[in-house]
Every structure is written in structure tokens, then in C-alpha cells.
Amino acid sequence: MNTNLVKRLYERIDEFPIFDPHTHINPQNPSAGSLGGILSYHYYTELCNSAEYDPGWWEEGISPDLLVKRIAKKLPLIHNTVQFSWFLTIADEFLGIPGTELLNPENLEKLNDKSKKIMSEKGYIERLIEKSRIKRVYLTNQFYEKLEGFDYNFYRPCLRIDPFSYFADRETVLKDMSLSTGIQIKDSSSFDKALDRVFSFFKEKNFAYASVSSWPGTKIRPVGSTREDAVITKILSGERLSCHEHEDHVAYSFLLVAQLCRKYDVPFHLMIGVDKDVYSQGVQFGKDLVDSNNSMRGYDYLFNQFPDVRFPTSVLSDTQGLELTSSAWIRHNIFPSGHWWYLNNPTDIAREVSRRLEVVPLRKIIGYYSDAYYLEFILPKFRMYKYTLARVLAEKIEASKADPNMLELTEDKALETAWDILFNNPQSIFKDTTVR
């Protein structure tokens, strides 16, 4: 590896502003508030739980301060991980705490107190945003949210469809949708109208896309209104759906969402392949795992029926990564999007970036999103991606000097490529061209 070339590319790419097209940030409370809040992020609790299993050390709703006391002695066990490097960057860049101080677990409670004072200072959020060069942050929103009280020039809503597709029979989702839309849901026709009203409201708020974290084994197929009528009647009676009925409702919901994405001219962002609640001893959000047997082929009908809908797509395993790349290679409406969850590490990112750059039209590649729960995570995650991208581009520059089939890739052209996948492409795909 030509480290000087990598360094030059990275330093230029790191100057690019950040366009973050997927997060879970609460715009009314966008900061973690303390180092304890940072460590509440499930990546840290699940890694510490895995490194040293100790029943009862963590419980749902644990306060950040109490978590600091309990997690301090476990943190040295995860010093090798990329997630810990994010923690060090956050402390150094935003709090002025050198990483060496965080390596000693005995310092953590004192440093947590210091962090609370800094993060509560007036102007802290504004300084964080400026230092990170963040220009746009996409949110994850539920159908019943009012979408008020935040800066629409910085944050952009996105509609999550999981509750009324996968979980419609497990909670009071349809009743809640009836209340929030003013349309009494009693059959497929009223469900269609209620969801249309949700989309109409979100469109008024300039939402970017509809999205879903889909389950393994999902297969989208045509489902008639008569069949869906029976399913909704059963849901409203309080009964749980059978496996086949659940599959019918999911398929019906996906097709309805795609119809509405077409009507309102927004993409349908698919995040494919997480298997829920696999690990019974896991912490909150640390129970889900990859299912490598999952395939995008279950979505063929969806993609074929809606050629005019854009489908940004994320996957969770290397085999799915190859499938996504090949799908984007031949399907005009599939757009590889970021590096999600278990693929969000330098090794897997490097492989997938190289794959995509070699066979997918450049204008279709959405480089990265942070998936962050707090603004503090955006900078270290994007830095990880930008450095990995610099490594991949440096390798391609070097290879182009000897490869008999390649045009020589210059540093300027490599930087143009980086700018496209990090900024131009997401702006174009999500029709968000006002950000500069």
C-alpha cells in the first residue's frame, strides 16, 4: 500500500461535507449528553456483553451514569475493535479528552462528569456540526409523528414502514393509524386510504423516502384485496396472524408502499436480512444476527412491478453484498446504499466498495450513511469510511498504472469519484439538490 498516496487522498476526502442519508437521531435531543450516553449505544453494550458475559450487569433503561460504573472494567476487553476507535475519536474531537485517558477504566467516571458539563454548554451542538462538516441528516420517523420542532434545512424526515407491515398484528398499529389519519381502518380499501394520507402528510414535510428493515425469507407476491380484507379483519379482532397470513400482509404492504412511492415520487429504501431476537442473552438491540441464506430474489416481483421506483438497498453479509452488486449491475432501479450494521467495518467496506466501483455504474452508488443514534457518531463513522475509500482508490490508482485494460486513474479523477458517491449521488437519488 502506498501510504503517502492514501494519506493525500484521505486528507482531501476528509474535507468533503457530510451528507448522511440514514440515521436514528432524535432532532429534539440530538446529542448523547455524556460519555455514558455514548456508551449506551448498543454496539458498546453488546460487545461488552459478548466479551465478558455477566448476567444482570445490564438492564433495559439503565441510566448512563450507572452504565459507566458497570461498563468501565469491561471496556479494556474491546480496545481492539473499530467501535472503540469511534469512542476515542468522539472524546478527543468534541470533548478534548485524549484517547490515552480513556484507556484506564478508573478514569471513566470522572471523565463522564466532565463530558456532561461540556455537552450541556450553549453552542455545543452547533460547534459539533461545524467541526464535523455535516450538511444534511436524514431521520427515521414513524407514521404517527408530527414532524415538528426541528430545522428542515438540516434534518429531513424518512418514513419507516416496519410497524404496519411486519408488526401490524402485534400491537395497536392499525388502531393508532386510524387515530392519526382520521380514517377508520376496517378493510384493505380503508388501509390503502390511511396509508395514502400518511404519505401525503410526510410529503408536505419534504420526506426523503420510505424505508424498511426487512426480515429474512421475505417474498413479495401479488395479494388480492379480498385476501387482505380477511387479514385486516383478523388483526382488528386481536388475533395473531398465521405465518401465511403474515406473509400475505407483508407482501400487500410492500406493494402498497411501492405504489405510494411512485405516486409521491420518493425512493423505497430496503434494508435486507436481519434476523430478529436470535440471541436470548443479548442486550437491547444486541439480539439480532445476519442470515446468510437470505436472498434478494424474494423481491423480484416488487422490482419488476415498479420499474419507475428507485430502490436504494442495503444488505448484511458478504454473499448478499455480491448479490446486491450483481442486482445493481443489471437492474436500473437498484442502488447499492452504504454499509449496514455488521458490514460497517473497514474490511467489509473495502471489499464492497471495490466490487461496486468495478461493475456498478458510478452514478448509482450511495457511498455511506452513519446509522447514528447521536450526532457525535457521524464524524468518526464517516472518517472510517473516507479512509477506507482512500485506501481502495489508492489501490486502483496504482493498479491502473500496470493493468493493460485500464485507463490510468489520476488522483483528481479518484477524488471526483469520491465526491460523486459521497455527495452528488445521494443528492440526485434522493432529489435533495439544495444542499451545498
Side-chain angles (χ1 to χ4, degrees), residues 194-350:
L195 192 52
D196 190 305
R197 184 160 294 180
V198 170
F199 266 72
S200 177
F201 172 73
F202 269 69
K203 187 67 174 179
E204 290 174 5
K205 301 295 185 178
N206 190 34
F207 82 125
Y209 55 73
S211 69
V212 65
S213 174
S214 64
W215 295 4
T218 296
K219 289 184 171 57
I220 309 304
R221 57 179 186 269
V223 177
S225 58
T226 301
R227 177 64 177 163
E228 178 66 4
D229 287 343
V231 169
I232 288 180
T233 297
K234 189 169 182 179
I235 291 173
L236 294 174
S237 73
E239 293 185 67
R240 293 290 292 271
L241 300 178
S242 68
C243 288
H244 190 69
E245 290 168 334
H246 186 268
E247 291 168 359
D248 283 344
H249 178 71
V250 168
Y252 185 91
S253 299
F254 272 57
L255 294 170
L256 176 57
V257 167
Q259 290 174 27
L260 293 169
C261 286
R262 170 193 283 163
K263 177 178 178 179
Y264 291 97
D265 191 25
V266 293
F268 189 178
H269 197 310
L270 302 176
M271 309 178 81
I272 296 174
V274 63
D275 207 354
K276 303 285 188 179
D277 294 329
V278 174
Y279 173 41
S280 59
Q281 286 79 40
V283 300
Q284 187 180 26
F285 305 124
K287 300 180 180 182
D288 308 335
L289 283 171
V290 177
D291 186 339
S292 296
N293 294 319
N294 191 45
S295 173
M296 288 180 64
R297 295 301 304 279
Y299 301 83
D300 283 349
Y301 182 80
L302 177 69
F303 299 147
N304 291 337
Q305 287 296 114
F306 295 93
D308 49 350
V309 172
R310 288 154 282 151
F311 293 95
T313 303
S314 303
V315 294
L316 276 180
S317 70
D318 56 350
T319 52
Q320 289 175 315
L322 176 58
E323 190 177 23
L324 174 57
T325 299
S326 61
S327 294
W329 174 347
I330 68 166
R331 288 189 180 275
H332 69 278
N333 56 348
I334 302 297
F335 301 82
S337 180
H339 305 271
W340 185 34
W341 208 336
Y342 297 110
L343 290 182
N344 188 28
N345 63 78
T347 298
D348 287 311
I349 289 172

Side-chain angles (χ1 to χ4, degrees), residues 15 90 108 155 171 270 281 293 326 333 363 409 416:
E15 293 175 353
I90 290 168
L108 197 58
Y155 295 109
E171 302 171 26
L270 302 176
Q281 286 79 40
N293 294 319
S326 61
N333 56 348
R363 66 191 298 267
L409 180 62
E416 288 176 15

Side-chain angles (χ1 to χ4, degrees), residues 352-365:
E352 298 304 321
V353 168
S354 187
R355 259 182 189 163
R356 294 171 190 180
L357 286 176
E358 288 178 357
V359 299
V360 176
L362 180 62
R363 66 191 298 267
K364 298 181 68 179
I365 301 171

